[in-house]
Amino acid sequence: MSLSKTHIFNAKEFDQALARMGADSGALPQARGAPLSLFRDTLKQGRATLKDHYFQDGKAHEIIGVHAQLVDHLLQRAWQYHQPLLAGGMRVALVAVGGYGRGELYPASDVDIMLLLEKNTQERIRPFAAAWLNFLWDMGLEVGHSTRSLKDCVSEAKKDITVATNLMEARLLAGDNEIFTAMQKKTSAANLWPGKKFFTAKWHEQIARHQHFDDTAYNLEPNVKEGPGGLRDIQMIAWVTQRQFDTASLHDLVPLGFLSETEYRTLVHGRNLLAHVRCGLHYLAAHREDRLLFDYQRVLAKNMHYQDSDGSLAVEQFMKHYYRNVKELARLNEILLQHFQEVILAPTKSKVKIINRRFQARGDFLEASNNKVFERNPYAMLEIFLILQQQPQLKGVRAQTIRLLRANLHRIDAKFRQDSACRSLFMEILRQPRGITHELRRMNAHGVLGAYIPAFGRIVGQMQHDLFHVYTVDEHSLFVVRNLRRFTVAEFGAEFPLASDIITRLVKPERLYLAGLFHDIAKGRGGDHSTLGEKEAQTFCKHHGLSDYDAHFVAWLVRNHLIMSSTAQRQDIHDPEVILRFAQLVGDQTHLDNLYLLTVADMRGTSPKVWNAWKDRLLTQLYNATSRTLNHGFGQPIDLDARIADLKNDALAILHAKNIDRERIQKHWAQLEPDYFLRHDASTLAWHTQEIVATTVADLPLVATRHLPEAGGTEVLVYTPDRDDLFVILTGGFDRLNLSIMDARIHTTSFGFALDTFVLLDHTNNPVADAPQLADLRRQLRDQLLDPKPGRDHKSARLSRALQHFPIATRVSFAPSPNRLSTVMEVVAQDRPGLLYQVALALQHCRLRLATAKVATYGERAEDIFFITARDTLSLVSETQQTCLNTEVHLRLATAPAPAATTPSNKNSPEPPVIF
């Protein structure tokens, strides 16, 4: 049974109760308490009933309509109740505007009303307006109000398109009908905004709004109302059609030929889903909230009866449903806007240019030659995108042809995919010099890509419920291809010089684009997505005419697309053994080049916040070190002595240019182990040496800083007599300064001095580059060494709202380092301030020494690597010490506040959840 106002409150009984109080007697009662209580209780009870109805599977689009009717009745009766205060002879109308004017009122939305005056007589209406509005506020209505004369309405609507569209939806609630009708006539968009001007203004308004949301509806916390494919896009269509074609409803577009019945039903279904989600957000937040925040996603998923299943959380299923719907709405929005451009903006007659037997250009847009094109020549559903690449003057596809394409998607079946013409066309699209990314995105938007590659179709709208992956899997994959293509564009060469140089040397770049398209194609299935994706890629490549070698090459990239980022961020890439193993894995320069490009593009396409200069530096160092090893032939053992000699000679050349005494340099270097030289480049060795040999005993402790843009962070050198608690003191100091440690390298000279180097970022994940700030950093850190203070107390600190919804259990694991000279401890934990300081305290408690630390954060998840040794013997950590450290780390990290919610585990997915 459909919901109606009679299910919420009895209007007749309300009016009778009001009459018994004398509120309709024509004279305003002196005591307003009883009528106010009646209004307040009626509103409160009505809203409570609507809320109960919603959570009992009620239909949101009915709820917002009945809510508006409830408020209509109360406003009208309150208006009558206050009539005695209205100055005699005043002509005024009570008008609903905006969403409320459309007859839609969401649970926590403002009630937007306007007091419409015949003339500018605000002073005369003020006593009435003040009493009436105060009554509404006391009743419990949050009212957004304005008072305008007819003249005001005309002038405001003429200069502001938003006011014009608000008044288009105006609805008379009470008062003078004549001035309301006059307002409608005078402010008619047809009178104030010519068709072309109105459409162009609303179109540009939508473009600006979409750009605010990065032109994607696939954000982790999408805006249901304003985001692409959201409710505002549907309203945009209604406004344009109402202005241009005088339509009263969206269904009026069907007989006009702008929508098919199927498309209309899709539009209504999508609008109802968005309404349901927005209603739920308002109820759960208890205020107006249009963002689908993490706080509410799980609850809404449960409310819509989603359940966890193998390989997929309920919340992920719900969000996939949401994303697919907004994608479909965005697609319909595009078709309709394209139609409107043709009808409203395009000339009456456009020049037609024949392209081939299947397609022609009408003006600047591509269209099918006839309605049977895709039926007779199914391969034309791929050819259309190739033509758009080869004809850059074309601005797009005509709406009717888009509709025709969508209507024939069912023809992309197994027979279609086995057609050699279709396979050749797809590969031709990937081999074009321009337009690859744009057309792949267009293919995805129109459903062609998911139909042609069914595995890709399964990841459309697929999200990962974490803070690291901010886009759906399909959107991320296309971002990766876009990033790869960007490396080839000369005007962007300065962004990634190394990548831009490498990609010009690739013989078959289409292999790389295929790897980008397929690298995450098996996400959401459970199991290792890299292994499953490898099989998908191998099969696809073989079916599309690639040689065995090329098919295996693409599959290898998909299988290993995480290896380079993992090696750079989680292993000591200054260890020759690590580089040798990585070189053996990649095998040759061609594999290394492609893997490097894919890794950079993948990391950049995961989230705008993931990539930074520090990660760029790590990958560049790994790439260069591996290239040298490959050039030397990794079957030959690396001559460490020769490598150290080269580093020293290069550093000496830098120091010689600065007139540093050679004897003092050699004396300093004699105190250092060979490992020290292998873990730094020549520039860093020269900087360390210059600072240290210029420092006297009286100047100790030495704290030096430098910021090199290519370093990816602020480098800090500490040179001071060693002490057991030095790492605790330093990490405590960095914590107090709100600085994040990205890399730490700890050395001790033969004379018992600590020579420690850190790479730091500030709280915004940027290097400290300003000279006064660097000076302040040096001063405060030196003070910390001279007068140590503990780090901040984070026990009472609250995790951010987002982090609270993604709890990560602390996990500590141990393994021997590749050279077996130290033990590698990995700490996986909830990211939080002061994490490294807590680990430092644990190391101190268990009497262990840190050699190197590598810090990596993936959204809510911190994965930190520590190379540690026994303090006295500099040997591997014993099992007893491992137990001590495991207990201590868990104890210290458990002091951080526990998140409020828990995430169901995905038992059938053995792969780590943090994946690019």
Side-chain angles (χ1 to χ4, degrees):
M1 181 177 65
S2 295
L3 181 69
S4 69
K5 186 173 68 174
T6 57
H7 295 110
I8 304 305
F9 85 113
N10 191 312
K12 184 177 180 180
E13 289 183 0
F14 176 88
D15 291 344
Q16 290 173 345
L18 197 60
R20 287 195 295 272
M21 296 176 184
D24 63 344
S25 63
L28 185 68
Q30 296 298 314
R32 61 198 290 268
L36 178 61
S37 296
L38 176 64
F39 277 87
R40 183 192 296 124
D41 293 345
T42 301
L43 178 64
K44 184 177 180 180
Q45 292 169 9
R47 284 178 163 175
T49 304
L50 285 171
K51 182 177 181 180
D52 290 342
H53 186 75
Y54 174 85
F55 285 106
Q56 293 170 7
D57 295 332
K59 298 176 180 179
H61 64 280
E62 293 181 346
I63 289 171
I64 60 177
V66 172
H67 187 204
Q69 293 173 20
L70 168 65
V71 172
D72 283 355
H73 195 89
L74 296 177
L75 282 177
Q76 290 161 350
R77 295 301 178 266
W79 180 271
Q80 295 171 357
Y81 176 55
H82 287 81
Q83 282 294 301
L85 291 178
L86 192 61
M90 281 203 69
R91 301 187 65 183
V92 59
L94 172 61
V95 180
V97 294
Y100 179 45
R102 286 193 302 274
E104 299 175 356
L105 190 60
Y106 284 86
S109 291
D110 286 347
V111 179
D112 292 326
I113 55 175
M114 177 177 68
L115 297 180
L116 175 63
L117 310 176
E118 182 182 27
K119 298 179 181 179
N120 197 351
T121 53
Q122 278 89 345
E123 288 299 323
R124 291 188 64 200
I125 201 173
R126 185 166 293 168
F128 167 82
W132 181 66
L133 289 170
N134 284 334
F135 185 86
L136 299 184
W137 280 99
D138 291 343
M139 183 203 308
L141 282 178
E142 294 187 13
V143 176
H145 70 281
S146 62
T147 303
R148 289 192 178 118
S149 66
L150 283 173
K151 185 177 180 180
D152 291 336
C153 289
V154 173
S155 62
E156 290 297 319
K158 192 172 185 178
K159 66 183 179 182
D160 190 337
I161 189 71
T162 302
V163 174
T165 47
N166 268 336
L167 294 179
M168 282 171 59
E169 299 175 314
R171 182 166 54 91
L172 180 67
L173 293 173
D176 196 308
N177 182 59
E178 286 187 11
I179 62 171
F180 173 72
T181 303
M183 184 274 294
Q184 285 187 306
K185 184 177 180 180
K186 290 176 179 292
T187 64
S188 166
N191 291 332
L192 301 179
W193 289 83
K196 288 185 178 181
K197 185 179 179 182
F198 182 87
F199 173 73
T200 302
K202 298 307 293 183
W203 186 22
H204 289 163
E205 187 178 80
Q206 175 172 294
I207 291 171
R209 178 166 48 82
H210 285 188
Q211 288 175 342
H212 179 72
F213 295 97
D214 298 323
D215 276 325
T216 178
Y218 293 161
N219 293 312
L220 284 177
E221 297 179 307
N223 191 301
V224 176
K225 180 182 178 182
E226 303 287 351
L231 288 165
R232 186 69 80 199
D233 281 5
I234 301 174
Q235 292 162 12
M236 155 75 169
I237 294 167
W239 290 328
V240 172
T241 54
Q242 181 183 343
R243 162 63 188 86
Q244 190 67 27
F245 309 108
D246 196 28
T247 55
S249 70
L250 288 173
H251 192 265
D252 290 345
L253 293 174
V254 176
L256 291 173
F258 290 116
L259 279 178
S260 67
E261 279 289 351
T262 300
E263 289 170 336
Y264 168 73
R265 288 194 295 270
T266 299
L267 195 61
V268 171
H269 173 79
R271 181 188 62 185
N272 291 346
L273 172 68
L274 294 178
H276 187 86
V277 172
R278 190 180 183 212
C279 253
L281 290 174
H282 283 207
Y283 282 133
L284 293 172
H287 60 80
R288 185 171 62 190
E289 178 58 81
D290 297 330
R291 297 166 299 163
L292 188 44
L293 301 177
F294 299 126
D295 310 55
Y296 314 120
Q297 289 177 8
R298 289 190 183 90
V299 181
L300 285 171
K302 182 179 179 181
N303 174 251
M304 295 177 71
H305 308 298
Y306 287 97
Q307 295 181 345
D308 293 343
S309 62
D310 292 346
S312 181
L313 299 173
V315 67
E316 292 174 341
Q317 298 169 46
F318 160 59
M319 292 303 295
K320 186 172 185 177
H321 181 205
Y322 173 85
Y323 288 133
R324 288 192 174 219
N325 270 273
V326 295
K327 179 181 178 180
E328 187 67 16
L329 290 174
R331 192 183 304 173
L332 285 172
N333 176 268
E334 179 190 357
I335 291 175
L336 286 166
L337 291 185
Q338 180 63 49
H339 253 314
F340 299 153
Q341 285 183 66
E342 295 166 8
V343 173
I344 301 171
L345 301 184
T348 305
K349 292 184 179 180
S350 298
K351 184 177 179 181
V352 175
K353 176 185 175 183
I354 303 300
I355 293 176
N356 58 33
R357 287 181 298 176
R358 294 165 296 283
F359 296 102
Q360 61 192 26
R362 184 176 295 276
D364 295 330
F365 292 90
L366 185 66
E367 70 175 2
S369 299
N370 61 74
N371 289 339
K372 299 288 186 179
V373 163
F374 299 127
E375 180 181 341
R376 294 168 181 167
N377 307 286
Y379 65 84
M381 285 188 280
L382 291 177
E383 183 186 21
I384 191 172
F385 302 103
L386 180 62
I387 291 172
L388 288 167
Q389 288 177 301
Q390 296 173 338
Q391 305 271 349
Q393 75 278 8
L394 294 174
K395 295 180 180 178
V397 184
R398 294 201 72 197
Q400 185 56 36
T401 301
I402 295 175
R403 177 174 287 113
L404 195 63
L405 176 67
R406 286 161 48 83
N408 283 275
L409 282 178
H410 65 279
R411 302 186 190 280
I412 304 180
D413 53 14
K415 181 180 177 182
F416 182 99
R417 298 181 201 104
Q418 292 167 4
D419 189 330
S420 60
C422 296
R423 294 176 178 180
S424 296
L425 279 167
F426 188 84
M427 292 307 300
E428 192 67 18
I429 290 170
L430 288 184
R431 292 185 175 114
Q432 289 299 300
R434 63 172 304 281
I436 295 175
T437 301
H438 196 274
E439 295 314 314
L440 284 176
R441 281 180 167 167
R442 197 194 302 265
M443 291 168 72
N444 188 40
H446 296 315
V448 174
L449 191 58
Y452 186 66
I453 309 176
F456 194 91
R458 289 196 288 273
I459 61 171
V460 171
Q462 177 73 42
M463 70 164 292
Q464 289 177 254
H465 198 57
D466 58 41
L467 294 177
F468 186 60
H469 303 87
V470 302
Y471 305 115
T472 56
V473 182
D474 62 316
E475 192 80 357
H476 161 70
S477 298
L478 295 176
F479 262 121
V480 171
V481 176
R482 172 260 190 193
N483 291 340
L484 293 170
R485 291 292 297 159
R486 194 175 176 93
F487 296 150
T488 69
V489 181
E491 63 183 283
F492 301 124
E495 287 183 348
F496 294 89
L498 178 58
S500 295
D501 178 61
I502 292 171
I503 206 164
T504 61
R505 303 197 299 265
L506 297 190
V507 178
K508 297 178 181 179
E510 67 270 17
R511 298 184 304 192
L512 183 58
Y513 305 148
L514 280 169
L517 197 60
F518 275 82
H519 77 288
D520 277 351
I521 205 162
K523 283 283 184 74
R525 299 187 194 179
D528 185 341
H529 80 280
S530 299
T531 302
L532 296 172
E534 175 187 26
K535 296 175 183 176
E536 293 278 2
Q538 178 93 17
T539 301
F540 182 89
C541 291
K542 289 294 293 178
H543 286 171
H544 283 73
L546 275 69
S547 67
D548 288 345
Y549 177 82
D550 286 347
H552 181 73
F553 188 94
V554 174
W556 181 91
L557 286 172
V558 172
R559 175 69 180 89
N560 294 285
H561 72 273
L562 299 172
I563 296 297
M564 193 167 192
S565 62
S566 176
T567 301
Q569 296 181 84
R570 298 164 60 85
Q571 299 189 45
D572 184 359
I573 59 176
H574 296 88
D575 184 340
E577 291 294 325
V578 171
I579 301 301
L580 179 60
R581 285 205 322 274
F582 185 70
Q584 291 170 336
L585 171 70
V586 298
D588 60 41
Q589 190 67 42
T590 301
H591 282 77
L592 175 63
D593 288 347
N594 281 267
L595 184 59
Y596 170 78
L597 294 170
L598 180 59
T599 302
V600 175
D602 189 13
M603 293 175 73
R604 290 187 66 219
T606 301
S607 161
K609 298 179 180 179
V610 164
W611 185 259
N612 57 33
W614 171 243
K615 292 177 181 177
D616 187 10
R617 183 190 188 189
L618 288 177
L619 288 175
T620 300
Q621 288 177 335
L622 177 56
Y623 174 85
N624 289 333
T626 307
S627 290
R628 285 194 299 269
T629 301
L630 291 171
N631 289 336
H632 291 157
F634 53 75
Q636 304 170 9
I638 299 173
D639 189 338
L640 298 183
D641 290 338
R643 176 66 180 145
I644 292 172
D646 281 346
L647 286 166
K648 287 183 175 180
N649 287 334
D650 291 342
L652 280 170
I654 298 171
L655 293 167
H656 178 73
K658 298 182 178 183
N659 297 316
I660 309 295
D661 182 67
R662 189 182 183 94
E663 184 178 342
R664 298 179 67 187
I665 295 171
Q666 297 294 353
K667 183 178 179 181
H668 167 62
W669 283 355
Q671 304 175 50
L672 299 167
E673 299 293 328
D675 182 58
Y676 165 78
F677 296 95
L678 290 171
R679 294 167 69 192
H680 297 285
D681 58 30
S683 170
T684 304
L685 292 175
W687 173 54
H688 287 181
T689 303
Q690 180 182 357
E691 294 287 350
I692 291 171
V693 300
T695 301
T696 65
V697 174
D699 296 327
L700 294 175
L702 165 66
V703 178
T705 60
R706 70 170 182 173
H707 169 63
L708 299 175
E710 65 272 17
T714 301
E715 293 185 283
V716 176
L717 166 66
V718 174
Y719 186 69
T720 185
D722 195 19
R723 51 189 290 183
D724 290 342
D725 58 352
L726 182 60
F727 188 56
V728 170
I729 293 171
L730 290 171
T731 53
F734 292 135
D735 182 42
R736 294 173 67 86
L737 293 170
N738 203 19
L739 296 170
S740 298
I741 302 171
M742 305 303 296
D743 187 81
R745 299 178 195 173
I746 312 300
H747 301 281
T748 305
T749 71
S750 58
F751 286 88
F753 270 70
L755 197 167
D756 299 345
T757 312
F758 301 89
V759 177
L760 308 174
L761 295 176
D762 66 14
H763 67 284
T764 65
N765 274 334
N766 290 306
V768 180
D770 183 66
Q773 289 180 323
L774 287 171
D776 189 54
L777 168 60
R778 291 191 294 270
R779 179 186 59 78
Q780 293 198 54
L781 193 55
R782 192 170 189 275
D783 290 345
Q784 171 72 1
L785 288 166
L786 293 171
D787 183 18
K789 296 179 176 62
R792 294 173 293 176
D793 180 11
H794 295 284
K795 293 181 180 180
S796 58
R798 293 183 58 84
L799 290 173
S800 70
R801 177 188 61 80
L803 284 176
Q804 290 181 26
H805 295 278
F806 297 93
I808 300 295
T810 300
R811 190 176 74 244
V812 182
S813 58
F814 301 90
S817 65
N819 58 18
R820 305 193 69 82
L821 296 177
S822 61
T823 296
V824 179
M825 177 179 71
E826 178 182 17
V827 176
V828 177
Q830 184 95 41
D831 185 37
R832 68 198 73 179
L835 188 150
L836 202 59
Y837 174 59
Q838 296 299 325
V839 174
L841 289 170
L843 288 169
Q844 181 189 29
H845 176 83
C846 297
R847 298 183 57 79
L848 295 168
R849 178 183 292 274
L850 177 72
T852 302
K854 295 177 74 68
V855 175
T857 303
Y858 306 93
E860 71 281 5
R861 180 187 182 96
E863 296 186 10
D864 298 346
I865 305 295
F866 304 89
F867 292 78
I868 56 178
T869 64
R871 179 180 296 171
D872 301 321
T873 61
L874 297 181
S875 60
L876 291 174
V877 177
S878 68
E879 289 188 10
T880 301
Q881 291 168 318
Q882 290 181 18
T883 300
C884 171
L885 197 51
N886 186 24
T887 302
E888 194 69 16
V889 168
H890 274 89
L891 179 65
R892 293 188 176 278
L893 296 189
T895 60
T902 58
T903 303
S905 62
N906 187 349
K907 297 180 180 179
N908 283 11
S909 182
E911 62 177 312
V914 178
I915 298 296
F916 290 122

